[in-house]
């Protein structure tokens, strides 16, 4: 059996979703190789309290430096490729790529590939306010993959963002918040969204396919499966 590539995970943003990455990647390797096979991984896990404070202070230069240093540590530790276990911090993808000689598996790419494979072109995006409102994520989907990306209106964006930072990153999964998200999804569908991107890695803890009348694209799972493909040379 050929040796697996080692996947370096930049996590802790939050650890609630990073734990899902670890589970999904290991399950994926076991399912493909059988027996007691598991994934070769390294993880750098941040204290999310510091990351969250820098995000809301708008100090993206400091955040880029933190992400780049984590990437260098993982490369020195033997990682063959990197997975940044968060959508929002892909704003710093360029800094990570510039800091190391190993590839970063960008979370938007397997997501867009799945949307295209489903034959969809107009997609709704849920995530943090940073992901929904800034161009680093939407712009990649639009420019590289030709997708039309819809985001919730201002009031809905506040609600979606608040649930993530008040609840999901702290491991709180509330039925009332699920209903809020279902309503936001329906309003995006009413505007023409053919599918919905769960564009924050914690949203998969709250929302699944049963909560949407159109296909949902769980970035956490799609990204983790891309990591499995890389690990196994697919």
């Amino acid at each position: 059996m050929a040796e697996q590539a080692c996947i370096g995970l930049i996590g802790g943003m939050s650890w609630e979703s990073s734990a899902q990455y670890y589970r999904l990647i290991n399950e994926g390797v076991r399912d493909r190789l059988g027996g007691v096979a598991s994934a070769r991984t390294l993880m750098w896990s941040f204290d999310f309290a510091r990351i969250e404070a820098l995000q809301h202070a708008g100090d993206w230069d400091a955040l880029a430096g933190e992400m780049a240093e984590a990437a260098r540590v993982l490369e020195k530790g033997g990682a063959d490729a990197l997975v940044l276990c968060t959508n929002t911090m892909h704003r710093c993808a360029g800094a990570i790529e510039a800091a190391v000689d190993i590839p970063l598996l960008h979370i938007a790419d397997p997501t867009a590939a799945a949307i295209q494979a489903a034959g969809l072109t107009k997609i709704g995006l849920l995530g943090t306010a940073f992901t929904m409102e800034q161009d680093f994520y939407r712009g990649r989907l639009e420019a590289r993959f030709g997708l039309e990306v819809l985001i919730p209106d201002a009031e809905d964006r506040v609600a979606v963002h608040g649930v993530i930072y008040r609840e999901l990153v702290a491991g709180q999964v509330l039925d009332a918040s699920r209903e809020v998200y279902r309503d936001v999804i329906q309003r995006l569908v009413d505007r023409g969204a053919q599918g919905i991107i769960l564009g924050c890695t914690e949203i998969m803890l709250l929302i699944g396919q049963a909560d949407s009348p159109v296909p949902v694209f769980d970035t956490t799972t799609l990204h983790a499966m891309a990591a499995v493909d890389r690990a196994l040379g697919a």
Side-chain angles (χ1 to χ4, degrees), residues 6 125 141 187 190 223:
C6 180
L125 173 62
L141 295 173
R187 284 189 280 276
D190 291 343
H223 201 199

Side-chain angles (χ1 to χ4, degrees), residues 16-52:
E16 295 285 348
S17 61
S18 299
Q20 300 303 315
Y21 269 90
Y22 186 75
R23 175 181 62 81
L24 289 163
I25 291 170
N26 278 286
E27 287 178 349
V29 169
R30 182 189 61 198
D31 290 347
R32 297 193 198 185
L33 297 183
V36 295
S38 58
R40 295 180 63 233
T41 64
L42 295 171
M43 179 179 282
W44 174 276
S45 188
F46 281 99
D47 173 7
F48 187 60
R50 172 173 170 75
I51 299 301
E52 185 270 345

Side-chain angles (χ1 to χ4, degrees), residues 159-176:
V160 168
H161 181 90
V163 167
I164 293 167
Y165 280 93
R166 289 193 310 267
E167 300 168 16
L168 297 181
V169 300
Q172 298 179 34
V173 180
L174 305 180
D175 289 340

